[in-house]
Amino acid sequence: MSTTQSETLRGLLEPLVSAEQLDLEEIEVTRAGRRRVLRIVVDSEEGVELDACAELSRAISQKLDETDAMGEGEYVLEVSSPGADRPLTEHRHYVRATGRLARFRLREGGELVARILGVDDEGIDLEVPGVKGRKATSRRIALDEIAGARVEIEFSRKDKKEEEA
């Protein structure tokens, strides 16, 4: 997708997404045979319900039909929330991942797997799990030390709702 088309789409769609109290995370146009696929990824502090994606999809579709932002030709519109393996790139992503286990790739080299305990403007407070029966340790890393990060999927961990019950 050209930068101009991306900017045009972002300018057109950002107000629709914001009106639903959602963040526009990503816009991507790809080819699928003769058709194009327009993928819109949205998120919020509370996550995104399927009904909200469907409602937003209808609003975006109507707006795109009113304009020539997608040009001539067929396209498929997909509106979704980010997947579990989405990279953590923005400050708000780390905030939303508080309490979750994440894998950090560090600029100095190496990786670190730790639970995000807290996030502020300068860095992240982590709990590094103990190895072979050792206790977990606390660690703080600055945001600029992180080369990349992703949430690790945990199959056996109880979520907050189960812990509160």
Side-chain angles (χ1 to χ4, degrees), residues 60-144:
I60 289 172
S61 181
Q62 182 178 350
K63 186 63 137 181
L64 292 174
D65 287 348
E66 295 169 359
T67 69
D68 67 343
M70 286 301 292
E72 296 297 318
E74 297 179 18
Y75 67 92
V76 175
L77 173 62
E78 295 178 2
V79 177
S80 66
S81 61
D85 63 346
R86 173 215 30 210
L88 305 175
T89 57
E90 303 285 333
H91 182 270
R92 69 177 177 265
H93 298 163
Y94 293 105
V95 171
R96 290 177 186 158
T98 299
R100 309 274 312 269
L101 195 64
R103 179 175 302 273
F104 297 89
R105 199 170 27 87
L106 304 175
R107 291 196 191 283
E108 65 189 31
E111 284 190 342
L112 171 67
V113 176
R115 188 162 313 282
I116 299 172
L117 299 177
V119 181
D120 59 34
D121 291 337
E122 286 80 41
I124 303 172
D125 294 316
L126 302 171
E127 178 185 69
V128 181
V131 180
K132 295 183 180 177
R134 293 188 179 143
K135 290 185 178 183
T137 57
S138 296
R139 179 168 176 185
R140 180 167 174 84
I141 57 174
L143 291 171
D144 62 3

Side-chain angles (χ1 to χ4, degrees), residues 28-91:
E28 178 185 46
V29 178
T30 57
R31 281 245 173 253
R34 293 192 330 228
R35 292 185 177 157
R36 293 168 295 153
V37 177
L38 172 59
R39 286 187 184 90
I40 310 293
V41 178
V42 296
D43 202 4
S44 78
E45 295 296 324
E46 297 80 34
V48 182
E49 300 271 330
L50 184 59
D51 289 343
C53 283
E55 187 175 318
L56 184 59
S57 180
R58 286 188 289 276
I60 289 172
S61 181
Q62 182 178 350
K63 186 63 137 181
L64 292 174
D65 287 348
E66 295 169 359
T67 69
D68 67 343
M70 286 301 292
E72 296 297 318
E74 297 179 18
Y75 67 92
V76 175
L77 173 62
E78 295 178 2
V79 177
S80 66
S81 61
D85 63 346
R86 173 215 30 210
L88 305 175
T89 57
E90 303 285 333
H91 182 270

